[in-house]
Amino acid sequence: PRAPPPPPPPPPARAASRAGATITVTHEIGSGRPNATIAVPFADIARVDPGLRMYHLVVRDPRGRVLASQVTNYQHDHRGAQYDDLVFAYDFAAGEKRAVFTVEPVAKATAPEPPCAYARLVPERYDDLAWENDRIAHRMYGPALNSEAAGRERLRGSGIDIWGKRVTYPIIDRWYAKGHDQFHKDDEGEGYDIYSIGGSRGAGGTGVWDGTKLWTSDNFAKAEVLSNGPRRVAFRLNFAPWEAGALGSVSEIKQITTDCGRNFHAVESVFDLPGAEAIIGIGITEHPHADGFPKAVLTKDPEGRWMSFWEENKDGALGIAVILGAGESPAGFAHEPPAKSPGNANNLLLVSAKDGAPVRYFTGAAWSGSGQFKDRAAWEDHVRKHAERALKPMSIAVSARP
């Protein structure tokens, strides 16, 4: 008898050659963009391939190399696959103004990479919210620190603190485990808490400026970590209403995003204002001048879009800068002297804010102990380049893979 005909071939599994997506990124800056963070709304990718899942995809660069990536998911408890962004980094060389990336499905779940960005609420230290990446670490003060439970340590302050790192691995849990007094020492050679802010603005804290006084909030009232690495950290802080002089009662919701390999972090602050608009001050702390050290240098952008501060003391040199995002309306600069002498002053970058509309800016810092920047000139060159890139964001287009 004749052999039965062979069975028909099975249908292709998700048409593998066409599954996934193509991401085309363009920009205008001829000098290149080293370590450019690319965040693609996952909804755009899902429209091209609804079957992609966060742990079952890889991103390839124009040469076909797999790039480290992360899919953020800010709403952790939901039905179905509802992600926020696909995040990865790429070094645009000088003159390279266009790059095409592919997103490909993979059957086996990708293994987690070691985290280089990390954040957590620290209830064992009066509700600090601490975050870091492989370059720098920060913290902000929570509600317990401004309560009777804090005793003599009680502090009202919504500025941004700085911890200097000599290492690229996460240190937050390691340092808190040592205890408060010990993470003010560099006993392990990893770095330490190098900064003092008290109630001042630190590295990019905000307030409402009335022309002579900066009205600031209490410590944050609520914190929520939205994404916790390995490559992107994002968290949201709610600040209870506070009085801002003649303006009345004001409140703020602040969201901070930190990516690997960057000294600057993206901030989005939304203010609930009693009127249509107000002037917001984004501050950098100025400490009393230390004898034997050069006087601190404040550098202001002539167009009012950024300012950089460089100061030296017994802990080394520290560079701090704040930069307005594209589309923001600069409103000049101001200086708020300390409430008492000696004390910390605030240098302020001013920006116009509208009720309920986000104010977007970047804040960043670098410590000489990290070896990342040779001197003030190197830091300010980095600030200027970041400000240029902030004014000219990249364009991203998503399409089906050919």
Side-chain angles (χ1 to χ4, degrees):
R2 297 174 58 186
R14 297 187 64 232
S17 63
R18 297 187 301 276
T22 297
I23 298 170
T24 303
V25 181
T26 56
H27 69 108
E28 302 175 10
I29 298 176
S31 58
R33 288 180 184 258
N35 195 45
T37 297
I38 299 166
V40 187
F42 205 88
D44 295 346
I45 297 172
R47 277 192 284 271
V48 171
D49 185 350
L52 286 171
R53 293 294 177 265
M54 65 191 309
Y55 299 131
H56 293 269
L57 61 82
V58 295
V59 178
R60 295 188 184 275
D61 72 4
R63 295 172 59 184
R65 298 170 298 185
V66 174
L67 301 177
S69 63
Q70 177 184 343
V71 176
T72 58
N73 182 13
Y74 295 166
Q75 184 183 352
H76 298 167
D77 186 15
H78 56 69
R79 306 282 183 179
Q82 299 176 21
Y83 311 137
D84 291 278
D85 297 310
L86 170 64
V87 183
F88 56 95
Y90 178 71
D91 289 317
F92 284 90
E96 184 182 14
K97 296 185 178 181
R98 180 178 182 272
V100 179
F101 307 88
T102 57
V103 183
E104 302 174 8
V106 293
K108 184 178 179 180
T110 53
E113 62 176 293
C116 68
Y118 176 69
R120 80 171 176 97
L121 188 66
V122 190
E124 68 269 28
R125 221 306 295 195
Y126 302 120
D127 295 339
D128 284 352
L129 191 289
W131 72 100
E132 65 179 309
N133 63 8
D134 50 342
R135 311 275 294 179
I136 196 82
H138 299 273
R139 66 171 169 170
M140 294 182 73
Y141 300 138
L145 189 60
N146 190 17
S147 71
E148 293 182 0
R152 295 175 61 184
E153 295 185 62
R154 187 168 183 170
L155 176 63
R156 179 187 185 274
S158 55
I160 299 176
D161 196 11
I162 303 171
W163 287 0
K165 293 176 61 172
R166 300 185 192 273
V167 295
T168 58
Y169 54 77
I171 49 80
I172 283 173
D173 287 343
R174 290 170 61 83
W175 291 10
Y176 276 112
K178 294 196 299 184
H180 182 270
D181 292 342
Q182 296 306 307
F183 64 63
H184 286 80
K185 303 175 183 179
D186 192 14
D187 292 342
E188 282 75 39
E190 295 178 330
Y192 58 119
D193 182 352
I194 56 173
Y195 203 50
S196 172
I197 58 171
S200 63
R201 297 303 81 205
T206 48
V208 177
W209 179 247
D210 69 0
T212 59
K213 177 180 173 61
L214 188 71
W215 299 86
T216 61
S217 71
D218 202 333
N219 308 13
F220 67 80
K222 179 184 176 183
E224 180 183 9
V225 177
L226 305 171
S227 173
N228 204 356
R231 301 198 59 79
R232 167 164 285 194
V233 156
F235 58 92
R236 185 178 297 131
L237 304 174
N238 291 64
F239 295 87
W242 74 93
E243 291 301 313
L247 187 66
S249 180
V250 174
S251 64
E252 178 188 6
I253 297 175
K254 185 187 297 288
Q255 184 163 317
I256 298 179
T257 303
T258 293
D259 293 306
C260 291
R262 300 168 70 88
N263 289 79
F264 279 94
H265 319 293
V267 186
E268 181 177 292
S269 284
V270 178
F271 294 89
D272 185 358
L273 304 170
E277 58 185 8
I279 299 299
I280 300 301
I282 307 169
I284 296 176
T285 293
E286 179 179 331
H287 298 101
H289 179 243
D291 292 338
F293 293 95
K295 187 173 177 59
V297 178
L298 176 67
T299 305
K300 302 176 183 177
D301 171 38
E303 297 182 0
R305 303 203 65 87
W306 59 265
M307 68 178 180
S308 176
F309 192 66
W310 182 268
E311 64 178 354
E312 299 179 24
N313 56 35
K314 63 181 178 59
D315 298 313
L318 192 65
I320 306 170
V322 290
I323 299 171
L324 296 182
E328 301 299 335
S329 300
F333 301 92
H335 182 270
E336 185 187 45
K340 59 181 180 179
S341 184
N344 296 339
N346 286 310
N347 297 294
L348 301 173
L349 173 65
L350 304 179
V351 58
S352 298
K354 297 184 182 300
D355 177 46
V359 173
R360 296 184 174 92
Y361 66 98
F362 300 89
T363 180
W367 174 48
S368 60
S370 70
Q372 295 162 6
F373 298 94
K374 179 181 177 182
D375 50 24
R376 179 170 69 90
W379 168 246
E380 288 189 2
D381 179 66
H382 182 73
V383 173
R384 287 185 173 90
K385 288 176 178 177
H386 195 285
E388 179 188 13
R389 294 163 190 148
L391 266 180
K392 298 178 180 179
M394 296 174 288
S395 297
I396 299 173
V398 180
S399 59
R401 285 180 66 200

